[in-house]
Amino acid sequence: MASSHGCSPLFSCSSCLLMRIPPSSSTAHLDYPCCLWDRMGTRDYNPKQMAIREKVFNIIISCFKRHGAETIDSPVFELKETLTGKYGEDSKLIYDLKDQGGELLSLRYDLTVPFARYLAMNKITNIKRYHIAKVYRRDNPAMTRGRYREFYQCDFDIAGQYDAMIPDAECLKIVYEILNELDLGDFRIKVNDRRILDGMFAVCGVPDEKFRTICSTVDKLDKMAWEDVKKEMVNEKGLSEDVADRIGEYVSMQGGQDLAERLLQDPKLSQNKQACAGLTDMKLLFSYLELFQVTDKVVFDLSLARGLDYYTGVIYEAILSQTIPALVSTPAEQNGADEAGVSVGSVAGGGRYDGLVGMFDPKGRKVPCVGVSIGIERIFSIMEQKASSEKVRTTETQVLVASAQKNLLEERLKLTNALWNEGIKAEVLYKKNPKLLSQLQHCEETGIPLVAILGEQELKDGVVKLRNVVSREEVDVPRADLVDEIKKRTL
Amino acid sequence: MASSHGCSPLFSCSSCLLMRIPPSSSTAHLDYPCCLWDRMGTRDYNPKQMAIREKVFNIIISCFKRHGAETIDSPVFELKETLTGKYGEDSKLIYDLKDQGGELLSLRYDLTVPFARYLAMNKITNIKRYHIAKVYRRDNPAMTRGRYREFYQCDFDIAGQYDAMIPDAECLKIVYEILNELDLGDFRIKVNDRRILDGMFAVCGVPDEKFRTICSTVDKLDKMAWEDVKKEMVNEKGLSEDVADRIGEYVSMQGGQDLAERLLQDPKLSQNKQACAGLTDMKLLFSYLELFQVTDKVVFDLSLARGLDYYTGVIYEAILSQTIPALVSTPAEQNGADEAGVSVGSVAGGGRYDGLVGMFDPKGRKVPCVGVSIGIERIFSIMEQKASSEKVRTTETQVLVASAQKNLLEERLKLTNALWNEGIKAEVLYKKNPKLLSQLQHCEETGIPLVAILGEQELKDGVVKLRNVVSREEVDVPRADLVDEIKKRTL
């Protein structure tokens, strides 16, 4: 019996999550049930998805290049110890390689730690680079929300000792440009500063050793109501109600430069050195954002915390305003209440991490860094959905070399070869005597705009019949003019 | 004491290969000795290497697109069982992931098996696709020859039931085009057919069960003399001298279409069905290669065997004629006699594999395939070496926004922002008051051709001083014409 969501009859998909593929010998046939991807948390990209991916990457890379960035690449695995102690509680999500002799290795978890390792290893003290590559997390996959175990990150970082907030402002400008150009609807970029958070925790009476764990709890405010966050602070993290309420007042605050100015006058915060440094920088940041004309989308939001340990200053996160309907529902997710239209949530995030490079340098030499990571998988999900009803071309072929008559394979191959040699993107069907209809159908299916038709008469006349696939118009073109004519028509 | 090849004093590099990095806690400083990469067999790509890589990829992708190919992508890991039994003796080189619960996974070993798995899983019966991605092999690294444990493959494959040898000929045409355009000097493409090899083994008296292992031995003829290959056949593989000598006669043969015709008349081979089928196809292949104008580089060579199990028909391999001097010598390699100038060897290879997709289909449905893989790492090595003395730009920045005077940061940022908004690739130094000299130096170091200089006078006049970095010529350009002027000068 075939299962309800299209699995092979060999497998009972009602128990999808427990099911195992039977062990196979080298000659046994493997079968891939539909739910395998759900379990593995990875996916293939088909040609249509790749065409969309290429478009998205082109927009992002153009932006990075417009801002003068170079690019680097690093291996997919790092020494296990390189990743140790960089990701807080999330370290359990790191994929390890099996110990087959030699160094212990893990798949990279992000591109930031490899970047810091690269800088320290090569003693680089300033660079502006982007890096687009896949990273790996053994997280619970949620494919409908574009959350995979293997996913792309697009990182842009500026390393170097510079005057305050100038590179930080450029990172925000980049997020703004990319989200605008991708045309994903309205968005907001929340900004905060780890020093402001720490100062706030201090003046609210949070003990020093609880800063990081309370920070993690505050970070949940984008998914949980304040009441629940407060409960976690009090019941699980052991804060007093008083302290939690004081935090609650601060984290409800949102604004711009004005809020930074107001908080610099706050009787408690103004007494805290860390907070003052953060707030002064926040003011300066907004003055640069004003010059960069992006303040309409940027909000100083005291509830933004971000999970990672390594941030030391400004942090930010971009959120799309729209929700997307679930693409495919997995049984596990169907239980979720919010799955009819899930919020795509954060599509970019980053911040300043001035201490990370020093962790990899034998002498602890610091290289200040600030950067941003674009959450490209969620963006792919949205773009794919937008394109789901559209026809997307997956090849760039300009012309198909065809014939209506038999025994012209050699002539077709000769002409195709000549076109390739002249730089024309050309195809020919791999059949001795294909029907004209199937040649035209191939063009219609794949969007090839032109057909170059050869026949005995055309060969005799030294011409090629050039057909426009859409209009069905045909015109005889002298062989010598063919390349120019194709170029002209497929500009 | 610092070691002779630049390691940190913490490590004794005389015992490089045995050395371990000391275990570190999250706050301990990691140090990366120079020999770590040699041991791991991986490498970072720096911006200059990336610029070269981008150039190489562009040439290859343009060629694939010119031939009408789509592209796909697949996860970096596959189910372990997907890879089982596909690579013969080389299976021991597969990287496994640690069992952390869930499916057992391995890093992909090539792009061909994932492609076949993709076709079977999605029931695709015809496609022409390319796939450029990294693959993983726990081989002995030989970085000077461009052999890494993580390396790129660039694969182009044609799947589908077509008339004989037409897609096969296109694959060879593609290798020819790419090697020509990369401008790597002279090359040859050797062609053979598994059916010819099998027929040859049969008529020489090799027992059926030894076909594959003798095939592996024949494959060593590009690195070993015939005498040594013969020794291996007789002493290790248990062939009689007679049989080996008969093989020796055949594998010394090289030619073109004429050789195929001659062997079709060979009293022994002509009695073997397999060999005849292979030879007839070889004749046909050469007739298409003639039409594609590539026969000047293609040789029918009976010694070509190729290691992989899955080939069923035509096989081929491209070899560069030039040798390259070793880039960096590792102690292990310095012992090698041939290291002064190593032959780069094979830079592309492939063939027909009609049975592989069927191994992944529950009903064993076959999808005939033929493809080629470009050995891009060796090509990178050569290109990097060529470029080692050249200056390669790693950014595309058109203009640096600069100032000779103090207190003009805001004006610099404003102008930079305006240029970004107009699509100009622009940079600005992240300093409040940088010296003009350091701004000009930045341009010279990174190859930025233009500087847009702002000063009090220029601001008053509504102009920008545009300076050509190389010629040092300066001209005042009205602010309104600046974008056009920059575009004109950086076409």
Side-chain angles (χ1 to χ4, degrees), chain A residues 32 70 82 100 170 394 430, chain B residues 32 70 82 138 170 394 430:
Chain A
Y32 286 84
E70 315 178 279
T82 299
Q100 295 170 291
E170 187 172 7
T394 57
Y430 305 122
Chain B
Y32 286 83
E70 316 178 278
T82 298
R138 300 184 58 255
E170 187 171 8
T394 57
Y430 306 122

Side-chain angles (χ1 to χ4, degrees), chain A residues 20-22 24 26 28-32 36-37 39-40 42-47 50 53-54 65-77 79 81-82 84-85 94-98 100-103 105 107 117-118 121 127-128 130 134 136 138 150 152 158 161-163 166-167 170 173 177 288 291-293 358-362 364 394-397 409-410 413-414 417 420-421 423-427 430-432, chain B residues 20-22 24 26 28-32 36-37 39-40 42-47 50 53-54 65-77 79 81-82 84-85 94-98 100-103 105 107 117-118 121 127-128 130 134 136 138 150 152 158 161-163 166-167 170 173 177 288 291-293 358-362 364 394-397 409-410 413-414 417 420-421 423-427 430-432:
Chain A
R20 306 288 302 185
I21 290 175
S24 66
S26 64
H29 297 131
L30 271 182
D31 198 7
Y32 286 84
L36 177 67
W37 279 161
R39 299 206 309 281
M40 285 176 62
T42 56
R43 62 160 167 174
D44 291 321
Y45 284 86
N46 65 34
M50 288 299 279
R53 180 171 123 176
E54 199 176 312
K65 287 188 174 175
R66 193 161 57 240
H67 287 262
E70 315 178 279
T71 186
I72 66 163
D73 196 13
S74 67
V76 79
F77 42 69
L79 290 181
E81 62 198 282
T82 299
T84 303
I94 294 172
Y95 273 102
D96 292 330
L97 264 70
K98 192 167 149 184
Q100 295 170 291
E103 279 65 33
L105 304 169
L107 298 186
R117 191 265 307 148
Y118 173 82
M121 192 169 168
I127 189 173
K128 175 157 60 175
Y130 69 91
K134 287 176 179 173
Y136 299 86
R138 300 184 58 257
E150 171 183 66
Y152 268 102
I158 301 170
Q161 188 72 58
Y162 298 120
D163 283 324
I166 314 176
E170 187 172 7
K173 170 74 176 171
E177 285 182 12
Y288 295 146
L291 297 173
F292 286 165
Q293 300 174 296
M359 289 174 75
F360 294 105
D361 187 279
T394 57
T395 67
E396 297 177 8
T397 310
L409 173 62
E410 293 205 356
L413 293 183
K414 241 197 252 176
N417 183 63
W420 286 333
N421 290 350
I424 299 290
K425 295 169 189 147
E427 282 184 69
Y430 305 122
K431 295 274 182 188
K432 276 189 198 155
Chain B
R20 307 287 304 183
I21 290 175
S24 67
S26 64
H29 296 130
L30 271 182
D31 199 6
Y32 286 83
L36 178 67
W37 279 161
R39 299 206 307 283
M40 284 177 63
T42 57
R43 63 161 167 174
D44 291 321
Y45 284 86
N46 65 33
M50 288 297 280
R53 180 171 124 177
E54 200 176 312
K65 286 188 173 175
R66 192 161 57 241
H67 287 261
E70 316 178 278
T71 186
I72 66 164
D73 196 13
S74 67
V76 79
F77 42 68
L79 289 180
E81 62 198 284
T82 298
T84 303
I94 293 172
Y95 274 102
D96 293 329
L97 263 69
K98 192 168 149 185
Q100 294 170 291
E103 278 65 34
L105 305 170
L107 297 186
R117 191 266 306 150
Y118 173 81
M121 192 168 168
I127 189 172
K128 175 157 61 177
Y130 69 91
K134 287 176 178 172
Y136 299 87
R138 300 184 58 255
E150 171 183 66
Y152 269 101
I158 300 170
Q161 188 72 57
Y162 299 119
D163 283 326
I166 313 176
E170 187 171 8
K173 170 76 177 170
E177 286 183 11
Y288 295 147
L291 296 174
F292 286 164
Q293 300 174 296
M359 290 174 77
F360 294 106
D361 187 277
T394 57
T395 67
E396 298 176 7
T397 310
L409 173 63
E410 293 206 354
L413 294 183
K414 241 198 249 176
N417 183 64
W420 287 333
N421 291 350
I424 300 291
K425 293 169 190 148
E427 282 184 68
Y430 306 122
K431 295 274 182 189
K432 276 189 199 156

Side-chain angles (χ1 to χ4, degrees), chain A residues 362-387:
Chain A
K363 292 185 185 147
R365 280 168 294 220
K366 287 194 175 180
V367 178
C369 293
V370 63
V372 62
S373 182
I374 311 290
I376 198 71
E377 299 292 340
R378 288 183 177 177
I379 292 168
F380 289 153
S381 290
I382 298 166
M383 303 288 272
E384 276 171 34
Q385 202 161 22
K386 268 187 171 178

